[in-house]
Amino acid sequence: MKTSFFYSMMLLPVLLSAQQNLVKYVRPIIGTQKMGHTYPGATVPFGAVQLSPETDTISYEKNGKYNGDVYQYCSGYKYDDKTITGFSHTHFSGTGHSDLGDFLIMPTLGKLQLNPGTASNPKSGYRSAFLHQNETAEAGYYKVRLDDDNILAEMTATTRVGFHQYTFPKSDQSHIIFDLMSGIYNYPEKNVWTYVRVINDTLVTGYRQTNGWARTRTVYFAMSFSKPFKQYGQKNYDAKQSYRGFWGKFDQSKNFPEIAGKQIRMYFDFDTDANEKIRIKFALSPVSQDNALENMKTEIPGWDFEKVKQQAQSDWNKELNKIVIDASEDDKVNFYSSMYHTFINPTTYTDVNGQYKGLDQNIHKAEGFINYTTFSLWDTYRALHPFFNIIQPKRNNDMVKSMLAHYDQSTLKMLPIWSHHANDNWCMSGYHSVSVVADAIVKGVYDGDAEAALKACIETSNHRSYDGIGDYIDKGFIPAEKNGISVSNTLEYAYDDWCIAQIAKKLGHADIYSEYVKRSHNWKNNYDASTGFMRARLGNGSFAPNPDVMSTHDQGFIEGNSWNYSFFVPQDPESLMLKMGGKQQFGKKLDTLFTMHLPDSFFADTEDITREGIIGGYVHGNEPAHHVAYLYNWSDEPWKAQAQIRKILKMQYKNAPDGLGGNDDCGQMSAWYIFSSLGFYPVAPGSDEYSIGSPAVKSAVLTLENGKTFTLEAINQSDKNVYVKKVLLNGKAVTDFKIRHSDITNGGKLVFYMDSKPMKK
Amino acid sequence: MKTSFFYSMMLLPVLLSAQQNLVKYVRPIIGTQKMGHTYPGATVPFGAVQLSPETDTISYEKNGKYNGDVYQYCSGYKYDDKTITGFSHTHFSGTGHSDLGDFLIMPTLGKLQLNPGTASNPKSGYRSAFLHQNETAEAGYYKVRLDDDNILAEMTATTRVGFHQYTFPKSDQSHIIFDLMSGIYNYPEKNVWTYVRVINDTLVTGYRQTNGWARTRTVYFAMSFSKPFKQYGQKNYDAKQSYRGFWGKFDQSKNFPEIAGKQIRMYFDFDTDANEKIRIKFALSPVSQDNALENMKTEIPGWDFEKVKQQAQSDWNKELNKIVIDASEDDKVNFYSSMYHTFINPTTYTDVNGQYKGLDQNIHKAEGFINYTTFSLWDTYRALHPFFNIIQPKRNNDMVKSMLAHYDQSTLKMLPIWSHHANDNWCMSGYHSVSVVADAIVKGVYDGDAEAALKACIETSNHRSYDGIGDYIDKGFIPAEKNGISVSNTLEYAYDDWCIAQIAKKLGHADIYSEYVKRSHNWKNNYDASTGFMRARLGNGSFAPNPDVMSTHDQGFIEGNSWNYSFFVPQDPESLMLKMGGKQQFGKKLDTLFTMHLPDSFFADTEDITREGIIGGYVHGNEPAHHVAYLYNWSDEPWKAQAQIRKILKMQYKNAPDGLGGNDDCGQMSAWYIFSSLGFYPVAPGSDEYSIGSPAVKSAVLTLENGKTFTLEAINQSDKNVYVKKVLLNGKAVTDFKIRHSDITNGGKLVFYMDSKPMKK
């Protein structure tokens, strides 16, 4: 890696000079409506700060009831909403569960209002109406006019610092509201503690501690104002606050600089001239107030908003230029917006001095790597991390190191399942970090201790007390009466075990290889030959009664039904095809999947998707299906794969706020788009093979970190010409519809000859 | 200081060889009954760990009511109680408010019970009955038999580590209960967060965060067992716990090593043979789990309980030998138990690596000093810190440095009022840290930057928004309608300002000196010549209506009435005497104070004292009176001072659990005993003078850190011979009933000639 990085450094000037303006194709607003769950705010590639508007969030009412729909507000922003409550500094991109939303800031005028008010009665609080026509969302920059007080809000960011710029009207009652109660997936119990120090009339530091999806989480901050506030104050909304005793010696509600409590809202008052800009630099740290200050001073020493914005956008442009495509304007928007979404997560979780908080809640120093967090692995092992192994190998190498650091700090001695901010919420099925580790090792991206990595994978896969693993090891399946998602788990463990086998093979451990290859066959234990579907089994070995292949509930699956999961054998489609009755039967079954009619009950019961998110019974909005279209290559009907893939690309990704057919899931949906529109896809991460589909671009030039270039060309490309007549790799015909990772990293040219007629055998 | 310390180092072997066994006179049980509020457990001089039994504490019942009397349980232990709930690691000694009680450990047998049960129904929980006849409380060592399960509990400590030793019967159901919910002054809202990692089958680390008297407080721990536990588990009692989602993938109730929540109780199970000892090393840190581990490994590397106990007791003996007295056995017990109590607080708040948490919640390194906490300054400025300036100057120097570090970290830019564990609870009146700083500077004990110290004192005294200071500066008094303790504050601010003047004088700042001498006269503004008493004034300057010199409520005083406070002009008794009508009137007024009858209502209304705690209207149990007996030296009736002082020594300090007539207040009551029984007292800390009373010892040898020796002798001493006929300092007669600090530190001899008849003029 070192040499290749050295090359890319040398080539940097060349690249930059050669750079096109691709940022203009990025539309962060895509996915902010319906199920996309993306956010429109400002962030830089893999940034720790996601400074974005919030339109509402679950919040607490005096009557003790929660209001707001937590699920709709995973990213804090819902396109259909008419009001903005403020701008906070941490957001997930495209998740199906929520957290974060730290440190909400809102500029207001006139009478001080410390509560956000409700969407139904916006004037009752500090929130403001806004119109999308007054809203601009770009990579690294967000702008909106807040209509209630006619304040222009602009924001940009560096990796660890959010930069706010508010243009006020003339007023002697200009306020900056600083709401430390507000949060995403919020409720009083979530706020564990808040601490604030007003060090002087422009500098404030402190921290916020929450108990949410991340169980034990603290974010430290340092906030600097471009202009001294004339006064400030706070209100503690926690009625049950403990001992207050002699605090009465101060009036703590106003200009009192040492603030702490569970439910704190603050305000800072200013006099403003017409069009006066008040800027705020807001730095985060997982470690300490001191580190937050250091992050701020290092990343944004001055007050030049334009300069920071331009740097953020040039950082984005540099990343986007790693793939330069020729395609329709709309496809370019979808392509580069997808790239944008893939480069948001995982997020940096290291301070500029290299310190970070570990899973063990101790402070660690990341030696020789950047520590990352926000690993939505059930989603991202499929295409996002494989994509990084092509276009972001150095970062993916660090991400694997971050997972192994997590393992080292884990008293459970497990690799992450779904980790964020020094916690693991163990969300979803499988132990897919082993897939990411295997893919990085097999593809030569990981430059750390591979033996130690293998050990971590093995230990994780043998954690008997975790989610049925004990039974899985003993019986080769998980009894349905013991585990609600017994089939999903077995299928995914089997794939993950195959990944471990690939590492063992690479490292020459024949015994481990054969043990884990054996485990990788366990999917067969849940295959019911009598129905031709995956099916839950009971402890006594018999299949569970009353199978319902349409139902997504109580059948042993998660986020899908048996139709969605029965094709989940990415490590061995050949055997699955044979089990299902051979190529012809297999192809027919796939045909049925893509053409069947789903009952309404399916949409009522299934999370994360919309009607637009499906094609027949194929549910692109949930990840288990992502490799399925490519399985036609195993029924020897590649033309069907090509047609379906182009259909999915058109139907599921649109240049519109509701353009995503399901949660973007931290970039997985977008990574699928990039691979598929380039004409190939990693059906089984952990192998070095990609399966060929149908490119949607006319051409693409991939500039790799090793300095080499991989070029794609689709001759006779058009919306009608979705079929691949032939494929040439460096002039040689590709007959097995596969290319290898080395084919890409060695550089070269892949040419597709497109046609309107399928190339049936 | 350096040279003197160098001398003392050289002399150390000599001292040690000359040491008597004085530990045997220490009875930690004194003060554990009634109002003393001391604890009987194990600690070392100025130790960070106070490992002590708890007999009950305020706790939460299902019906939402608190039970237990919080005030009675300031130290966690009440002598009259019949059951022990467990042994926790942090306790205040003699306070009138409570907090702490961290990490309660209790050994039990048989059926697992995770709740403490109630005193009325002890069998309903893990608590156990005990008898005082089976209890041993020594300096640095505590032992008790727990009768319910016949378990012998023993404990000792080092500065930062508590060492438990439990002798179990034979059982396959032996438990160590680890209650992280329990705490002193406890209620659900107090527990902010708890985090525990079970690293292996003998090592556990984590932290506990509370919001109590200390608003934002975290204590980290490392716990090591001498024998591996066979299993462990936990219960989270917080019904409102946030997101639990995928945690169900584990059974977190048993053998799950990553635990967090607000209300956690744990247990560790063992098989034990008859009389098998299970030992626990429990280290604390204000900074991190890693530091707690380092503290443990550094201070107690092995498992030899006896050795650690012997070291703790020899550390105590070394401190006690700094004053060797000849007196009756009972007086020796009172004297050395007093010395023991004075050397408990303030407590060490620095890890072995020098790190500590600052008031700013940042981690700091104490460069060249030990950082201390637990500053009960309203009490301890009077005699405890002056006592340290004689017998513990090096430590008192570090204590002043700790206060100035507190100031540097304070966003309020104030010296501590009542600080503990990186917080200030601002308890009681005045800003008496300036007295401690002044006394240390005037007496040449403080070796830091005196100019910076003066600046800190001045800034603190000018914090207009604090407790009436603004009005005090503008008007010279505090309007009663604005401040509930306006008179106490004015009197104490005036004294504190005189202390600041003394620093200014020493540093040659004539202007500051005269400004603060002027402020020190403000006590006169609350003196009502018409009544001859201190009296509250209204904003318009008139005295408040309906004065009641007997009432301790709504008269502008705290913990006392006008009788108690009207003599509070320690900085200028001469002027007070003149104001009160001259020597004769002044003497008569003092006579009345010591002979008057207090109505029952006084005892109902007044905190912290018992009927035994008073002599007439003189309330020794509360600090404002502590200098008053010595004021007879200003009415030219020293013999009355002598008689009263001997009476107080006899009445207020007894060799019995209820031997203290009021809260020991972190050693202030005990420091009064030591001074007075040696025959002199610092009426006005900040001056280098001591006022002579009547010694209770036959002789005393003070070994100073500078290597010099100061010897006291009371010739013809007896219980009847309480009157001082003459006093010779190094052979020269002392006629003004005063000695100076240098008279002591230069070494020498003070001889009292005692007589049964008063030496009237």
Side-chain angles (χ1 to χ4, degrees), chain B residues 360-375:
Chain B
D360 56 8
Q361 297 295 308
N362 289 325
I363 306 308
H364 298 266
K365 184 121 195 260
E367 302 290 356
F369 72 105
I370 293 170
N371 186 64
Y372 289 93
T373 190
T374 320
F375 288 103

Side-chain angles (χ1 to χ4, degrees), chain B residues 307-324:
Chain B
K307 189 174 152 205
V308 173
K309 174 192 169 186
Q310 279 159 23
Q311 184 59 52
Q313 300 204 311
S314 97
D315 290 350
W316 273 115
N317 210 47
K318 175 163 163 282
E319 297 297 337
L320 298 173
N321 271 270
K322 289 178 173 177
I323 304 181
V324 176

